[in-house]
Amino acid sequence: MSEIWALIEQEKGEPKKISLEMATLVKRLADQSGSTAAAVVIGPGAKAAAGKVGDYGIAKAYVKDDAKYAEYAVTPQAHLLAGLIKDKKPSLVLVGSTSNGRDVAARVSARLNLGILANVVDVGLEGGKVKVVAPAFGGNIEVTSEFVNMDTELVTVRPNAVMPVKAAAQIQVEDIAGDVGAESLLGKIIERMSQETGAVPLEEAQFIVSGGRGVGGEDGFKMIYDLANALGGAVGASRAAVDAGWIAYPQQVGQTGKTVKPVVYIACGISGAIQHKVGMQTADVIIAINKNADAPIFQFADFGVVGDIFQIVPKLTEEVKKYKKS
């Protein structure tokens, strides 16, 4: 029986949300095709993380619980995964389209001469073939693609394209034999730096407050952080705000940034260009605050407030804090 794999990103034994999404998608595809849902977990804490993805339907996990895979940049992970694919020959490998996932997938593709379909938002089976859907032309259209004559198909999937769903399985854990050589240990990680995005990571936040050109500058984002922290959420931004240097790129939402799927998305001073829309349009509730009543964002927002964000956002923050105290 063939296997369908998910590459699991984890930290200290805790799978990241994107990995639970990949596990859910692998489980769905495996059930449809009669394949085995499997995962590859690499790095310190891999065995602990493997047990946790079993709660999402993964029946088999290949693990390499070794500290050096966290001490070096992605090359050793990519080389180990490439060797495992060559040995086990899974029919499909799904990788989260994160900065780490994209880098690993690209290196595996080059090393094994595999085709790759990237940045997709849906993966399904039709007539026994894997078909993927990806946005194009700024999200104005969706393109459906399939592989031709590939023994192993490699796909990177956007974060928040799938809702994680638990489906407990009796997981079988297998240690990955062998190791990578010195030629893989190229770039050692000297220091790790984190960027504040709010109470929780942007991709995992249930509440996101984003600022755009209307915020006016770096100081204007202070009120955005205040509201996000009051809600227990994260701070996002439009490309205009990032390009202006008011906030860091990891917080950009949109076509060239991150795709998010919060319960509530509050857009402050954001016009709502299509490039931003494709990154947040799947939010359960979209609230727009903008002084321009003709801003495009009001065309797809669930609730719209026409007014000055510098008056409205601080008052909204006060009301949230009052509600939480009551």
Side-chain angles (χ1 to χ4, degrees):
M1 183 182 291
S2 64
E3 295 181 347
I4 298 177
W5 292 1
L7 178 63
I8 301 301
E9 293 189 39
Q10 56 90 25
E11 189 170 354
K12 297 179 181 178
E14 287 294 330
K16 295 185 178 180
K17 180 173 177 283
I18 181 66
S19 297
L20 303 182
E21 294 169 16
M22 295 304 98
T24 298
L25 188 50
V26 162
K27 165 65 173 171
R28 181 195 306 167
L29 295 170
D31 287 348
Q32 292 173 1
S33 62
S35 303
T36 299
V40 179
V41 197
I42 301 171
K47 288 185 178 178
K52 291 171 183 175
V53 296
D55 292 337
Y56 292 81
I58 296 297
K60 187 173 186 178
Y62 300 97
V63 303
K64 192 70 170 180
D65 202 326
D66 189 327
K68 73 164 164 284
Y69 290 91
E71 295 171 355
Y72 289 84
V74 296
T75 307
Q77 298 177 43
H79 289 185
L80 187 72
L81 178 59
L84 193 63
I85 290 173
K86 189 174 181 180
D87 179 40
K88 302 293 184 180
K89 296 179 172 57
S91 59
L92 175 65
V93 180
L94 299 184
V95 180
S97 189
T98 61
S99 56
N100 184 79
R102 290 191 297 268
D103 205 346
V104 169
R107 291 168 187 265
V108 169
S109 173
R111 197 171 179 86
L112 299 180
N113 196 28
L114 295 179
I116 182 170
L117 290 173
N119 205 34
V120 311
V121 294
D122 192 24
V123 184
L125 293 172
E126 189 176 315
K129 287 191 172 185
V130 174
K131 295 202 174 183
V132 306
V133 178
F137 293 102
N140 287 306
I141 64 171
E142 290 186 334
V143 177
T144 301
S145 307
E146 66 180 54
F147 290 92
V148 178
N149 300 325
M150 297 297 299
D151 292 329
T152 297
E153 300 171 347
L154 186 59
V155 176
T156 67
V157 184
R158 278 192 179 189
N160 297 302
V162 181
M163 181 67 69
V165 177
K166 287 193 172 184
Q170 188 68 38
I171 191 167
Q172 173 191 348
V173 177
E174 179 180 323
D175 288 325
I176 299 173
D179 207 347
V180 295
E183 73 280 2
S184 297
L185 307 179
L186 301 176
K188 190 163 187 177
I189 298 172
I190 304 300
E191 182 182 5
R192 295 183 185 274
M193 301 177 66
S194 60
Q195 173 71 37
E196 182 189 359
T197 62
V200 293
L202 186 63
E203 302 94 321
E204 300 180 16
Q206 296 298 298
F207 295 89
I208 294 177
V209 186
S210 279
R213 194 187 305 275
V215 171
E218 188 175 350
D219 288 344
F221 269 93
K222 292 178 181 178
M223 65 179 180
I224 304 297
Y225 273 101
D226 287 344
L227 179 55
N229 289 330
L231 291 167
V235 172
S238 70
R239 179 172 177 171
V242 172
D243 286 349
W246 302 341
I247 194 167
Y249 171 71
Q251 288 167 268
Q252 182 176 318
V253 175
Q255 182 186 11
T256 53
K258 293 180 178 176
T259 302
V260 297
K261 189 179 173 59
V263 174
V264 177
Y265 187 90
I266 305 176
C268 305
I270 295 175
S271 65
I274 186 66
Q275 290 82 0
H276 187 76
K277 179 183 178 182
V278 298
M280 43 69 80
Q281 62 186 340
T282 55
D284 292 347
V285 177
I286 298 171
I287 301 172
I289 307 173
N290 200 299
K291 66 181 181 181
N292 180 8
D294 297 321
I297 198 166
F298 289 123
Q299 296 175 14
F300 58 89
D302 297 289
F303 299 96
V305 181
V306 178
D308 186 348
I309 60 172
F310 295 98
Q311 295 182 13
I312 296 168
V313 173
K315 288 181 179 179
L316 181 57
T317 304
E318 289 178 13
E319 291 301 318
V320 171
K321 290 179 178 178
K322 287 179 185 177
Y323 177 80
K324 292 179 78 171
K325 286 182 180 180
S326 62

